[in-house]
Amino acid sequence: MLKIYNTLAREKQTFVPMVAGKVSMYVCGMTVYDFCHLGHARVMVVFDMVSRWLRASGLDVIYVRNITDIDDKIIKRARENGEDISVLTQRFIDAMDEDSALLGVLRPDIEPRATEHVLGMIEMISTLIEKSHAYQAENGDVFYAVNSFQNYGKLSGKSLEDLRAGERVEVDTFKRDPMDFVLWKSVKPNEPSWDSPWGKGRPGWHIECSVMGACHLGKHFDIHGGGQDLQFPHHENEIAQSEAANDCTFVNYWMHNGFVRVDDEKMSKSLGNFFTIREVLKKYDAEVVRFFILRAHYRSPLNYSDKHLDDAKQALSRLYTALRGIDVVAKVDKSAASYEAFKTAIDDDFNTPEALAVLFDLANTLNKSGDLAVAAQLKGLANILGLLARSSEDFMQAGSSSSLDVALIEAQIFARSEAKKAKDFAEADRIRKDLLDQGIILEDNSQGTIWRR
RNA sequence: GGCGCGAUAGCAAAGCGGUUAUGCCGCGGCCUGCAAAGCCGUUUAGUCCGGUUCGACUCCGGAUCGCGCCUCCA
């Protein structure tokens, strides 16, 4: 029985899909004006894991993750680059696809782009105006009237009074209420625009997710996810728009993943303390990064540092080492105690740290017994999390293009084995030390010598 | 200022009202030409103060500290 922590209820709840056996899930994806950083990696990996587990549990999942390809920052960046907006966004969509593929993130079923749904947004805004939930202001912008929606604040736990009293709410003279947010921005010089009943312009940010969610999953669906920072105002506003326009509940379960931090501070574009995925992948294997992400519970903060990545690499190596030299096909035995433990862990609000502990127990059993069924189970369960999909040799010998050539390593190993045969252990040790200094670890076993990085 | 979250051993990170989490690191042993890997053993816990209880790291209250949201952000 899967339980999910529902932000809306502020507690873990038993997950009951609207339609038995089917799950509709929407996750807020990227605004594509730059490379993805580790915070984005976390969202992608976490919800990839969620969708994999739902599927492994026998559910029929439709997973939608949007792409925001029109927005202030995109316009600004394109202008700075002297680049066409569509060229810029496509470039970063391609980069995102590369990054996520390396991280073992499966493609969502649908990846709608905001620019493909402008008509739908115009329709929804019209409906909101008809129902007096929105109005066009004197400057031409269309705003959502926050006080027209009774439940405004139910997701984030904020009240309008508190929000208005907040020191940081900007005063916009065109708004009826300082908390009103923009649905449609009237066109400005040199900006892309679409025709609308309110003149040329472009959509505000929040409306796209309300429209794309409804278009692909229906007006009411099961799960909506995203980073914690989207809880307010983005998701709060999505609820306000959708429920006011459609007169029905928008989403049953809201999931929010925690931040990636650097030195105990949120990693973010505005703080400038972010590491891009591709930057990190120059130094660390992508699977190590995935493992690092899944090693913490998805709602907890996750501190990034080289030390933690090194630690993750060591830990993942232990699993791969257990499987070294064992040629088995991953196969999950659902009658095994390990499966029960694994399932119990993940069913408890996706407790991947505990699920990983099950894998380490299996590795220990495997090391002791060499039991092929245990090896198959280890691979099988890990595969559900998108881990241990490669051969151990692939993992352990994977290196960057700049690292030592394989042929050279093997030549050295041969030279060392000759030295060993001649009982010249000083020379053998010298070669081993020499390789170690270049990051190559040699291990002798009954079959000969194996190496890893 | 308003709202919310967290505080676990050297580091990272879970569960649990009483029984070994797990991984990395350290230490001892086995194994090895020596190592490495592995196996066995082992040292380090639960911010502080109260309360509930036969018993609390685990529940309740308070304090302290840290973090997040309230503005674009995954």
Side-chain angles (χ1 to χ4, degrees):
Chain A
M1 187 82 78
L2 173 64
K3 288 199 169 190
I4 296 179
Y5 182 89
N6 187 353
T7 308
L8 199 55
R10 267 162 264 280
E11 64 178 15
K12 285 183 203 171
Q13 298 180 323
T14 300
F15 177 64
V16 183
M18 291 170 54
V19 180
K22 292 183 192 290
V23 182
S24 43
M25 177 164 88
Y26 184 97
V27 171
C28 285
M30 260 45 77
T31 300
V32 282
Y33 69 102
D34 206 343
F35 292 113
C36 292
H37 60 66
L38 275 183
H40 301 115
R42 192 174 194 191
V43 187
M44 294 195 288
V45 168
V46 161
F47 288 100
D48 177 63
M49 173 277 292
V50 167
S51 67
R52 283 173 187 255
W53 179 244
L54 293 171
R55 290 195 169 111
S57 303
L59 294 160
D60 189 5
V61 180
I62 301 180
Y63 174 20
V64 177
R65 190 184 65 204
N66 74 292
I67 294 169
T68 299
D69 61 352
I70 181 66
D71 144 282
D72 288 357
K73 278 179 280 197
I74 291 173
I75 294 169
K76 182 165 175 274
R77 182 62 57 89
R79 194 173 289 158
E80 285 166 4
N81 292 0
E83 192 175 17
D84 193 78
I85 285 179
S86 61
V87 174
L88 173 86
T89 54
Q90 191 56 51
R91 195 153 59 81
F92 286 113
I93 288 168
D94 292 342
M96 173 180 78
D97 289 344
E98 286 170 23
D99 292 343
S100 57
L102 286 168
L103 290 170
V105 172
L106 303 174
R107 291 295 284 262
D109 300 290
I110 306 170
E111 296 180 83
R113 300 183 190 192
T115 52
E116 295 165 347
H117 286 267
V118 175
L119 278 180
M121 296 188 229
I122 289 170
E123 272 174 42
M124 183 175 270
I125 295 168
S126 300
T127 304
L128 288 169
I129 291 175
E130 276 163 33
K131 293 187 172 181
S132 300
H133 286 292
Y135 58 93
Q136 185 169 25
E138 282 174 32
N139 66 346
D141 291 356
V142 178
F143 291 100
Y144 185 94
V146 153
N147 67 359
S148 74
F149 186 67
Q150 190 131 46
N151 287 323
Y152 194 80
K154 70 175 176 179
L155 179 70
S156 55
K158 298 177 189 303
S159 73
L160 279 172
E161 296 80 75
D162 293 343
L163 286 166
R164 290 190 192 108
E167 294 160 355
R168 300 162 75 187
V169 175
E170 89 286 12
V171 178
D172 183 331
T173 49
F174 297 107
K175 293 180 182 179
R176 290 180 190 167
D177 185 298
M179 291 314 298
D180 287 351
F181 57 90
V182 69
L183 296 169
W184 188 260
K185 299 182 178 191
S186 52
V187 70
K188 293 180 187 63
N190 303 317
E191 282 190 358
S193 64
W194 286 260
D195 287 321
S196 84
W198 319 286
K200 279 185 174 297
R202 62 191 167 89
W205 176 36
H206 314 296
I207 193 73
E208 67 177 65
C209 289
S210 286
V211 169
M212 292 188 276
C215 173
H216 295 290
L217 298 174
K219 292 172 178 174
H220 181 187
F221 55 89
D222 292 308
I223 299 172
H224 188 128
Q228 221 159 41
D229 43 2
L230 298 185
Q231 199 175 313
F232 188 90
H234 186 52
H235 291 163
E236 193 69 63
N237 291 351
E238 281 187 50
I239 292 174
Q241 293 160 347
S242 298
E243 301 196 347
N246 301 328
D247 294 311
C248 66
T249 300
F250 179 39
V251 167
N252 288 346
Y253 301 88
W254 285 89
M255 294 179 65
H256 294 96
N257 65 275
F259 298 130
V260 175
R261 301 169 163 188
V262 177
D263 296 330
D264 287 316
E265 257 191 342
K266 177 185 172 182
M267 178 182 288
S268 74
K269 288 280 173 75
S270 31
L271 287 171
N273 62 346
F274 62 91
F275 292 85
T276 63
I277 295 172
R278 44 193 56 203
E279 216 174 328
V280 174
L281 293 188
K282 279 182 193 159
K283 209 166 168 188
Y284 293 97
D285 186 273
E287 191 174 352
V288 168
V289 176
R290 184 181 177 97
F291 181 88
F292 166 70
I293 291 169
L294 295 176
R295 204 152 72 119
H297 184 87
Y298 78 91
R299 283 190 285 119
S300 301
L302 178 62
N303 263 309
Y304 171 81
S305 74
D306 281 3
K307 184 174 184 296
H308 295 156
L309 266 292
D310 289 338
D311 190 88
K313 183 193 173 189
Q314 287 301 107
L316 182 57
S317 296
R318 179 170 165 80
L319 297 179
Y320 267 118
T321 302
L323 289 167
R324 190 159 56 176
I326 297 177
D327 186 27
V328 286
V329 176
K331 189 172 184 303
V332 174
D333 174 5
K334 292 194 175 182
S335 66
S338 57
Y339 177 76
E340 198 50 46
F342 185 86
K343 176 178 162 54
T344 301
I346 304 199
D347 269 351
D348 182 15
D349 194 30
F350 306 98
N351 192 336
T352 51
E354 203 178 319
L356 291 175
V358 174
L359 302 187
F360 284 100
D361 287 342
L362 283 170
N364 179 254
T365 307
L366 174 59
N367 284 332
K368 282 189 279 195
S369 66
D371 187 337
L372 295 183
V374 173
Q377 182 80 342
L378 172 57
K379 279 190 94 157
L381 294 180
N383 285 175
I384 293 175
L385 298 176
L387 296 170
L388 303 187
R390 291 183 277 173
S391 76
S392 293
E393 285 67 29
D394 272 0
F395 175 76
M396 306 229 242
Q397 301 183 349
S400 58
S401 52
S402 61
S403 51
L404 209 54
D405 184 67
V406 173
L408 191 66
I409 294 167
E410 280 165 0
Q412 292 289 87
I413 289 174
F414 178 75
R416 179 167 167 274
S417 72
E418 291 299 303
K420 278 178 68 179
K421 268 186 213 160
K423 301 278 183 209
D424 184 356
F425 294 121
E427 172 63 5
D429 290 351
R430 189 198 61 75
I431 293 170
R432 185 169 62 193
K433 176 70 166 52
D434 186 51
L435 285 172
L436 183 63
D437 289 343
Q438 297 175 79
I440 307 299
I441 299 160
L442 296 191
E443 296 179 18
D444 296 332
N445 63 24
S446 50
Q447 275 82 50
T449 300
I450 51 179
W451 65 273
R452 63 194 167 90
R453 293 187 201 271

